[in-house]
Amino acid sequence: MRNKRKNRIYSSLLISTASMLLLTFVVLFFNFQFWLVSDNIGNLYVSFSDFSKTKENPSCRIILDDSIVYEIDKISTSKTKRFKLQNGKHKVEISDLNENYYLKESIFIKNYPEENNLYVSFEYNPSYEDYLPKFRKQYFDRFIEKHKNEYDKEQHSSIKEQINQQIDVEYLKRASYKPIERSFEITFYDEPIYLN
């Protein structure tokens, strides 16, 4: 009877040890898989914006350390891209697909594998004379939307004429509008950005 009891205890210990060992292997396996996946995620996050007044929405090519890593036809369709860069100085080149608006900068990664952010924006403000008709139209549309119950369609042409007389190049200058040539700009943050 004692032998049966001993055998039961030993078999229980053996089963529980084997179960613990199997559980440990399963946990280690999934930990290793997560490490493999997370190691390939990347630490440089690149996002895009079009700040042009005319919504140019250009194409974009990114070259990191002399290798083309990303190309897109329109930056508005791009999602945040991730790249893996080790600590050190890296060369970043940005242009459109036709190599216009070329920009070359250096960034310094000092916190691998922590997150770094590179914001690529396209800037363009047309000349005062080119932007004036568009601004007048936008102003008119906002005015009509705001006062849609006060004016009927017959009055729209006189309102448009008044806006055209009041808003000129000097008005744009006083409103702090400044022409900017077409260009890409980059902003680099070597730490995570947290929004409150």
Side-chain angles (χ1 to χ4, degrees), residues 48-50 57-62 72 75 93-97 99-105 119-124 181-187:
F48 303 88
S49 298
D50 181 6
N57 200 11
S59 60
C60 187
R61 173 181 292 139
I62 298 177
I72 189 162
I75 61 174
E93 299 171 75
I94 310 280
S95 71
D96 71 354
L97 296 180
E99 298 183 8
N100 297 318
Y101 327 123
Y102 179 79
L103 172 67
K104 181 178 175 181
E105 294 279 339
Y119 296 99
V120 177
S121 61
F122 184 76
E123 311 278 341
Y124 174 60
E181 291 295 320
R182 288 176 176 92
S183 64
F184 280 107
E185 300 285 329
I186 64 169
T187 307

Side-chain angles (χ1 to χ4, degrees), residues 81-96:
K81 298 314 253 178
R82 290 180 237 163
F83 303 100
K84 184 177 175 184
L85 293 178
Q86 297 294 328
N87 284 342
K89 187 175 181 179
H90 298 276
K91 182 170 61 170
V92 178
E93 299 171 75
I94 310 280
S95 71
D96 71 354

